[in-house]
Amino acid sequence: MWLHTINPSVKLLVILAAIIALALFLDPVLYLVFWIGLIVITFSLSTISKKTWALLTAPFFFMAIGYVWTAMLFPNEALLVEEQVLFKWGWLILTEESLMRSAGLGMRVIVFSALSLLFVLTTKPVLFMLSLMQQLKVPSRLAYGIMAGYQFLPLIREEFQIMQRAQQIRGVGRPQTVKERVSQWKSFVIPLLASAIRKAERTAIAMESRGFTGEPRTHWYREIPLRKRDAVFAALLAGLFLLSFTVSSILQ
């Protein structure tokens, strides 16, 4: 789909610019309109699974609820005199301004998480690293090192599972308490670290034998070009921000 074909560097810079622009405001209406528009863009222009997106978004919703609850329960006491009280019961005082601030903080978390998921779920790590090297001139030594380390994660997880099964075959039961679980994890640290070091050495030798010496490159086997659709994506998010700002201004 369309969002998956946007240049990763452009996508990253546009999303960072959107986060910086949104961080200047604390208006829940602006965030709500932007979030709704972002959801429409995400699901209409990509192949992201709604179930996967919902599962990844759920923790941020709980975090947003925590922000809202904390901001409502612990408002700035110096401002309570000037604010309009909506509800008061003992020490609990809820004002209109504190409600709007807390809602703004909660919506900020949700919108920033939606922007982050838009980037993560529509960007392939390999293409992202190639784009960083070609468009943002990130040193190839650093980019390829990060890419190689990223590929190690599934292997380390697989080795961890193999060690767990090996202990079970030898009669070591599953840990029942937190102390037993921590003790088991400690026994895995040294073998996993030694295995990671061996893999890193073999990868470094393989990369040097294939000419990856860290010198600046002028030609690439796989080009990540800049296209008109990248500018359209930037204009799309900018237009969504302006629409959100206009709706918020009208409703206030």
Side-chain angles (χ1 to χ4, degrees):
M1 291 291 283
W2 189 74
L3 284 177
H4 299 267
T5 62
I6 302 299
N7 186 288
S9 293
V10 174
K11 193 187 304 181
L12 175 65
L13 294 177
V14 171
I15 289 177
L16 287 177
I19 290 175
I20 293 173
L22 289 168
L24 300 176
F25 301 89
L26 199 60
D27 185 357
V29 176
L30 184 147
Y31 284 127
L32 179 61
V33 176
F34 191 91
W35 182 61
I36 293 173
L38 195 61
I39 290 176
V40 174
I41 293 173
T42 300
F43 292 119
S44 61
L45 300 178
S46 73
T47 57
I48 296 175
S49 169
K50 294 181 177 63
K51 182 178 179 180
T52 301
W53 186 89
L55 290 174
L56 293 174
T57 304
F60 295 102
F61 266 100
F62 287 109
M63 189 184 302
I65 292 172
Y67 272 109
V68 172
W69 185 250
T70 303
M72 286 193 302
L73 289 182
F74 304 100
N76 190 344
E77 296 183 359
L79 300 176
L80 290 178
V81 179
E82 304 175 359
E83 296 181 353
Q84 182 178 355
V85 177
L86 296 178
F87 176 78
K88 184 176 182 180
W89 184 58
W91 58 271
L92 180 59
I93 302 175
L94 178 62
T95 65
E96 181 179 355
E97 289 76 8
S98 65
L99 179 62
M100 295 298 291
R101 284 195 299 268
S102 60
L105 286 173
M107 286 303 303
R108 176 182 287 179
V109 173
I110 294 173
V111 170
F112 287 1
S113 66
L115 285 169
S116 302
L117 290 177
L118 172 64
F119 177 80
V120 172
L121 297 178
T122 62
T123 306
K124 294 182 178 180
V126 174
L127 298 182
F128 177 49
M129 289 301 169
L130 291 175
S131 176
L132 289 179
M133 289 185 286
Q134 295 179 27
Q135 272 78 51
L136 301 184
K137 308 303 179 183
V138 173
S140 58
R141 185 187 300 273
L142 175 62
Y144 279 115
I146 295 174
M147 193 185 306
Y150 179 80
Q151 300 297 327
F152 284 165
L153 295 179
L155 299 177
I156 293 175
R157 182 182 61 182
E158 183 179 353
E159 289 187 359
F160 179 76
Q161 294 173 348
I162 291 173
M163 291 179 186
Q164 282 184 319
R165 297 190 187 104
Q167 286 193 354
Q168 292 173 8
I169 292 174
R170 290 174 173 83
V172 179
R174 292 181 177 273
Q176 302 297 328
T177 64
V178 176
K179 184 177 180 180
E180 292 177 355
R181 190 178 297 274
V182 172
S183 178
Q184 185 190 54
W185 287 345
K186 286 183 178 179
S187 66
F188 293 155
V189 170
I190 300 301
L192 289 175
L193 181 60
S195 175
I197 292 174
R198 288 195 298 269
K199 285 184 174 61
E201 289 178 350
R202 290 197 295 266
T203 301
I205 294 172
M207 290 175 66
E208 289 183 359
S209 66
R210 288 169 173 79
F212 295 105
T213 59
E215 298 177 357
R217 291 175 174 268
T218 56
H219 301 284
W220 302 89
Y221 175 75
R222 186 169 186 177
E223 296 282 347
I224 310 295
L226 292 171
R227 292 172 288 191
K228 293 182 179 178
R229 64 185 63 183
D230 303 324
V232 173
F233 174 72
L236 186 62
L237 281 193
L240 179 59
F241 175 78
L242 293 176
L243 174 64
S244 306
F245 182 80
T246 303
V247 173
S248 175
S249 301
I250 293 174
L251 295 179
Q252 285 181 356

